[in-house]
Amino acid sequence: MSVVISAFDEAASREAKERRAEDVELEVLVREIIGRVADKWTMLTLEALEEHGRMRFTRLGEIIGDISQKMLTKTLRQMEADGLVSRTVFPVVPPRVEYELTPLGRSLGAAFCGVWIWAEQHRETIRQARADFSARAD
Amino acid sequence: MSVVISAFDEAASREAKERRAEDVELEVLVREIIGRVADKWTMLTLEALEEHGRMRFTRLGEIIGDISQKMLTKTLRQMEADGLVSRTVFPVVPPRVEYELTPLGRSLGAAFCGVWIWAEQHRETIRQARADFSARAD
DNA sequence: CAGTATCCAGCTGGATACTG
DNA sequence: CAGTATCCAGCTGGATACTG
């Protein structure tokens, strides 16, 4: 019996892997992108740069709010690596570094509009669903 | 000097908070929703239920692949709480529990299409950006 | 100014054992 | 079958100190 089950499990798992094998790469990419924008700081950084345009490191931190230096640096590096943000270093003392959304970064913001609209439209439905769920839990 | 700076910081921080105060709720919701779908397991669960329709707990686990029971339960509860998934318990022994996307769940999948399309379209640009960034790091 | 380096508390999620 | 309970290793991110 356990042999049968494990053979079944294995087949199902293999099937799952093969089904996804074709577009695994895209799926990984989409998950990464979504995961990145889902990240609190990335989202706030994207927003700040969308609204205020090109900005210095410290100013960006101020606008975002209570982000730590570590996370601001990490977030910006990540976004830069993905081509969402450009980083310009001015060879002056004290250093001046400016960040700006790339066209790619701006287009990502636009692509997420659909999700924003969805959330806005279904806001009340979700609130209700959560209330119902909590009520049922009692 | 430090007084001036901290006064400035405080003002900037307050400005940031006030600016967002109006739509804070929507922003939190959007971030939660995005964060949830960005979650590996939620995304895979949404996909599995989209493709295969109504399904039992164990079968769902098999299709998703190597998810642990704990995470499958947690993911499904979360999705249920948000109204994305419906849970039907059949009063039989052994227990039979079926999960299915709600209309809300299906519409969320649709809302994310824009991001998928964006990722598909800009896949090569992102790959190139990452390659360039890695190269620059050396 | 725009970071880097280090330490560490707290959350996340897998593994394992158990159950109505 | 569809979970729950417990333990714990590893990652995440804040706080703090330091620097070209």
Side-chain angles (χ1 to χ4, degrees):
Chain A
M1 179 59 176
S2 73
V3 174
V4 174
I5 290 178
S6 70
F8 177 65
D9 282 353
E10 227 182 283
S13 172
R14 199 165 48 238
E15 181 202 329
K17 272 170 196 146
E18 278 167 20
R19 181 183 57 71
R20 280 188 259 124
E22 315 123 25
D23 45 15
V24 153
E25 204 191 322
L26 182 62
E27 185 157 329
V28 167
L29 184 64
V30 171
R31 195 180 304 149
E32 277 181 7
I33 293 300
I34 294 184
R36 213 139 282 170
V37 177
D39 175 71
K40 185 184 175 185
W41 302 128
T42 303
M43 191 150 160
L44 291 175
T45 304
L46 193 68
E47 255 195 83
L49 288 173
E50 259 177 352
E51 284 184 34
H52 301 265
R54 172 181 274 255
M55 233 183 311
R56 295 181 71 168
F57 183 85
T58 303
R59 175 71 181 143
L60 199 42
E62 287 162 4
I63 288 188
I64 291 172
D66 51 355
I67 188 170
S68 65
Q69 276 187 323
K70 181 180 172 179
M71 289 315 293
L72 182 54
T73 301
K74 191 182 170 189
T75 302
L76 286 168
R77 286 288 177 285
Q78 190 81 70
M79 293 176 81
E80 194 195 352
D82 287 340
L84 301 175
V85 150
S86 68
R87 177 171 178 272
T88 311
V89 182
F90 295 86
V92 295
V93 177
R96 176 185 186 88
V97 180
E98 291 188 347
Y99 292 92
E100 187 179 20
L101 284 187
T102 60
L104 188 68
R106 275 190 294 274
S107 73
L108 178 59
F112 266 96
C113 273
V115 181
W116 277 83
I117 292 169
W118 181 91
E120 196 157 23
Q121 284 175 344
H122 299 281
R123 186 183 207 160
E124 196 44 52
T125 310
I126 297 170
R127 199 205 318 276
Q128 192 58 52
R130 288 181 180 172
D132 291 352
F133 187 79
S134 299
R136 258 179 292 152
D138 298 335
Chain B
M1 176 63 175
S2 73
V3 174
V4 174
I5 289 179
S6 71
F8 177 63
D9 283 353
E10 227 183 285
S13 172
R14 199 164 50 239
E15 181 202 328
K17 270 169 197 146
E18 278 167 19
R19 180 183 58 73
R20 281 188 258 121
E22 315 122 26
D23 46 15
V24 152
E25 203 191 323
L26 182 61
E27 184 157 329
V28 166
L29 184 65
V30 171
R31 196 181 301 150
E32 276 179 10
I33 294 299
I34 294 184
R36 214 140 280 171
V37 177
D39 175 69
K40 185 183 175 184
W41 301 127
T42 303
M43 190 149 161
L44 291 174
T45 304
L46 192 69
E47 256 195 81
L49 287 173
E50 259 177 351
E51 284 184 32
H52 301 264
R54 173 180 272 256
M55 233 183 311
R56 297 181 69 169
F57 182 85
T58 304
R59 176 71 182 142
L60 199 43
E62 286 161 6
I63 288 187
I64 292 172
D66 50 356
I67 188 170
S68 66
Q69 277 186 322
K70 181 179 171 180
M71 289 316 294
L72 183 53
T73 301
K74 190 181 170 190
T75 303
L76 287 168
R77 287 288 177 286
Q78 189 81 70
M79 294 177 78
E80 194 196 352
D82 287 340
L84 302 174
V85 150
S86 68
R87 177 171 179 270
T88 311
V89 182
F90 296 86
V92 295
V93 177
R96 177 185 186 88
V97 180
E98 292 188 346
Y99 293 93
E100 188 179 18
L101 285 186
T102 60
L104 187 69
R106 274 190 294 275
S107 74
L108 177 60
F112 266 97
C113 272
V115 182
W116 278 82
I117 292 168
W118 181 90
E120 196 158 23
Q121 284 174 344
H122 299 281
R123 187 184 207 160
E124 195 46 50
T125 310
I126 297 169
R127 199 206 315 278
Q128 191 59 51
R130 288 181 179 173
D132 291 352
F133 186 79
S134 300
R136 257 179 293 152
D138 299 337

